[in-house]
Amino acid sequence: MVKYRRTSILLIAFIALVLIANQFTIVQQATARFTSFVYVTFKYNEKDLKYDQIEFSPQFGSYMVRYTDKDHQSYAFEVASKSMPVIVVFDPLDPGA
């Protein structure tokens, strides 16, 4: 019983730490970049997309993460939301999804 209590306390502390850390812009940008990196790696690995830049778009309230391919074509993925950017909401290579 003590083992489960200790595990649950550590899990709650970890979640609280992540939520508190995501209030800082640098952590939000890192989270958005990591989210888009995982998405692009799993979905478009054969396209050989390389990270270019990230910026916050106040009009949409989300991060725009730009990647370029080997032909220098640029693609901007929209990652929402501002405080916890973990969902890719726009994919320029699959706009109907």
Side-chain angles (χ1 to χ4, degrees), residues 69-81:
D69 63 7
K70 52 189 160 209
D71 299 327
H72 302 289
Q73 179 70 25
S74 185
Y75 303 101
F77 294 85
E78 182 180 355
V79 183
S81 73

Side-chain angles (χ1 to χ4, degrees), residues 3-20:
K3 180 180 174 183
Y4 295 116
R5 182 175 178 187
R6 185 178 304 151
T7 303
S8 63
I9 289 173
L10 286 174
L11 182 63
I12 290 171
F14 177 75
I15 291 170
L17 179 66
V18 168
L19 292 175
I20 291 169

Side-chain angles (χ1 to χ4, degrees), residues 2-53:
V2 174
K3 180 180 174 183
Y4 295 116
R5 182 175 178 187
R6 185 178 304 151
T7 303
S8 63
I9 289 173
L10 286 174
L11 182 63
I12 290 171
F14 177 75
I15 291 170
L17 179 66
V18 168
L19 292 175
I20 291 169
N22 259 331
Q23 301 307 311
F24 299 104
T25 304
I26 191 80
V27 176
Q28 292 170 353
Q29 287 181 346
T31 304
R33 183 175 174 190
F34 179 73
T35 300
S36 67
F37 170 76
V38 170
Y39 182 82
V40 165
T41 301
F42 280 110
K43 196 158 183 186
Y44 303 112
N45 193 29
E46 72 282 350
K47 289 198 175 284
D48 196 30
L49 297 173
K50 302 290 183 205
Y51 169 78
D52 188 20
Q53 85 177 68

Side-chain angles (χ1 to χ4, degrees), residues 48-65:
D48 196 30
L49 297 173
K50 302 290 183 205
Y51 169 78
D52 188 20
Q53 85 177 68
I54 186 170
E55 63 183 63
F56 180 71
S57 174
Q59 295 86 357
F60 298 111
S62 58
Y63 286 93
M64 303 303 278
V65 185

